């Protein structure tokens, strides 16, 4: 099969089209003929040598795919209602940049009616991440306020739509007025240009001094102190990436007085059972929204798989709003 491999750690140009042996589905797995592969920030980190695959995972990058089931563990497939020939999208721990990919049956979801494989490939990584962190860890409730850092990212556009559908008020930050406008068009109630405005002061202004109930943070570093300042009483800060650095200094007194919760997670190394539980929750609560059109994929650009280097260059430029997808 054709695949895209990381020939050495470095810039986007180290990605190259290659030939690899077709993978074989093991116990509890399905084999998928891939039509499209999502591109995500962890792929960039892996390419640079900063995010190694978990033990046993493919060394090929790629954490989400969409395509057609070609075979696999028939008993496991039957337990989740999968059949050969079904169109699915799947969350994987690696190996997504390839014409064929194996995935745990529990991490597969049907392609929602009305969506293309390209659209479906943009769903798993961000939808699994947002559900797990905003709704499970962050415990976002109807009527609460969510602050999303990086509203124009794949995570951001997903969080905007899911939180809005859940009845929350959504505030986002973005790096340009154009991105802010795009976030509002997707359903954000307020958008803050972090290059021209102080997001902590703006959140306090927008909420009348109450603050945000949940913050979804992909920056960390110096942002943590400012996020704690703009959290409401009993607020929850959920960190899912550390693009701004791993070290933070903040006012611990505010954490005590406001009864704040600071937490975070990484999804890739979690167990199949953990991810399977998220998949079941998504199928029950979110997939109907995708079918109805209340929530939709947001794809900025697609690239032929052979042009994966261009896709990574675009992601690193931060000029995109929404997802980037490779097609086979």
């Amino acid at each position: 099969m054709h695949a895209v491999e990381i020939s050495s750690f470095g810039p986007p140009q180290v990605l190259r089209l290659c030939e690899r042996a077709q993978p074989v589905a093991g116990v509890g797995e399905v084999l998928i003929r891939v039509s499209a592969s999502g591109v995500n920030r962890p792929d960039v980190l892996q390419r640079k040598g900063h995010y190694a695959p978990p033990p046993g995972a493919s060394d090929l990058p790629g954490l989400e795919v969409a395509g057609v089931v070609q075979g696999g563990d028939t008993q496991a497939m039957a337990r989740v209602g999968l059949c050969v020939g079904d169109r699915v999208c799947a969350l994987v721990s690696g190996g997504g940049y390839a014409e064929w990919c194996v995935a745990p049956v529990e991490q597969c979801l049907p392609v929602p009616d009305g969506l293309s494989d390209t659209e479906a490939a943009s769903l798993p990584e961000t939808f699994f991440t947002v559900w797990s962190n905003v709704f499970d860890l962050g415990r976002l409730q109807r009527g609460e306020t969510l602050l999303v850092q990086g509203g124009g990212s794949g995570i951001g556009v997903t969080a905007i739509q899911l939180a809005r559908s859940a009845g929350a008020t959504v505030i986002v930050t973005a790096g340009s007025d154009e991105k802010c406008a795009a976030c509002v068009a997707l359903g954000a109630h307020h958008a803050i240009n972090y290059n021209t405005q102080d997001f902590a002061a703006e959140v306090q202004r927008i909420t009348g001094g109450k603050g945000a109930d949940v913050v979804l943070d992909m920056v960390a570093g110096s942002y943590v102190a400012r996020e704690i300042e703009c959290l409401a009483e009993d607020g929850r800060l959920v960190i899912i990436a550390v693009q701004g650095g791993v070290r933070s200094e903040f006012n611990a007194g505010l954490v005590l007085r406001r009864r704040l919760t600071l937490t975070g997670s990484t999804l890739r190394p979690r167990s199949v059972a953990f991810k399977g539980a998220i998949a079941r929750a998504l199928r029950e609560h979110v997939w109907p929204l995708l079918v109805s059109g209340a929530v939709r994929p947001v794809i900025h650009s697609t690239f032929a798989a052979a042009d994966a280097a261009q896709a990574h260059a675009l992601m690193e430029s931060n000029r995109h709003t929404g997802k980037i997808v490779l097609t086979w």
Side-chain angles (χ1 to χ4, degrees):
M1 68 173 183
H2 289 107
V4 175
E5 68 180 4
I6 301 169
S7 60
S8 62
F9 297 136
Q13 291 73 26
V14 303
L15 295 173
R16 68 180 184 189
L17 200 63
C18 66
E19 289 190 359
R20 290 284 188 97
Q22 182 177 306
V24 177
V27 175
E29 294 181 330
V30 295
L31 177 65
I32 300 170
R33 176 68 170 88
V34 177
S35 299
S37 311
V39 177
N40 294 282
R41 190 72 59 173
D43 305 344
V44 172
L45 295 176
Q46 182 176 335
R47 192 203 75 227
K48 292 181 174 181
H50 303 319
Y51 194 29
S58 169
D59 67 300
L60 296 173
L63 302 177
E64 58 186 350
V65 298
V68 177
V69 174
Q70 299 293 314
D73 183 336
T74 54
Q75 290 186 335
M77 290 166 59
R79 286 197 294 270
V80 298
L82 279 182
C83 301
V84 171
D86 285 350
R87 294 172 63 225
V88 296
C89 56
L91 183 74
V92 295
S93 296
Y97 288 13
E99 291 181 310
W100 297 80
C101 183
V102 294
V105 294
E106 292 185 55
Q107 293 171 208
C108 294
L109 286 160
V111 173
D113 291 343
L115 296 192
S116 67
D117 285 355
T118 299
E119 291 172 317
S122 74
L123 302 176
E125 173 68 10
T126 56
F127 277 71
F128 275 69
T129 298
V130 169
W131 186 268
S132 175
N133 288 283
V134 173
F135 296 98
D136 288 343
L137 279 179
R139 309 186 307 281
L140 183 69
Q141 303 295 315
R142 178 176 294 277
E144 290 190 325
T145 297
L146 170 69
L147 170 63
V148 180
Q149 302 286 16
S153 66
I155 293 289
V157 299
T158 300
I160 289 168
Q161 295 186 85
L162 293 188
R164 175 103 189 203
S165 295
T169 297
V170 183
I171 305 171
V172 303
T173 65
S176 70
D177 291 342
E178 292 76 16
K179 282 194 174 186
C180 285
C183 291
V184 170
L186 281 170
H189 296 85
H190 307 276
I192 302 165
N193 184 336
Y194 59 75
N195 283 315
T196 59
Q197 298 171 289
D198 179 338
F199 76 79
E202 282 298 299
V203 168
Q204 293 288 14
R205 181 188 65 79
I206 291 167
T207 62
K210 176 180 181 293
D213 298 288
V214 180
V215 176
L216 182 63
D217 177 22
M218 293 169 270
V219 184
S222 62
Y223 268 45
V224 172
R226 297 161 67 196
E227 288 162 343
I228 286 173
E229 290 174 1
C230 67
L231 273 171
E233 290 189 353
D234 298 303
R236 290 83 72 192
L237 168 59
V238 186
I239 301 171
I240 60 170
V242 290
Q243 296 177 34
V246 298
R247 296 187 179 276
S248 305
E249 183 174 320
F250 56 86
N251 185 343
L254 289 177
V255 177
L256 301 180
R257 292 193 295 274
R258 296 182 185 171
R259 302 176 302 278
L260 306 180
T261 299
L262 278 65
T263 186
S265 74
T266 56
L267 183 60
R268 192 176 190 182
R270 298 301 297 266
S271 68
V272 171
F274 179 86
K275 296 172 187 174
I278 300 173
R280 290 189 293 274
L282 288 173
R283 188 164 188 176
E284 178 181 355
H285 300 290
V286 176
W287 253 231
L289 300 175
L290 287 162
V291 172
S292 71
V295 171
R296 59 185 177 85
V298 180
I299 297 177
H300 183 277
S301 298
T302 61
F303 293 84
D307 297 324
Q310 295 179 36
H312 274 223
L314 173 60
M315 173 156 282
E316 289 185 271
S317 76
N318 291 319
R319 295 194 308 269
H320 62 293
T321 297
K323 293 297 295 280
I324 301 167
V325 178
L326 305 178
T327 58
W328 295 91

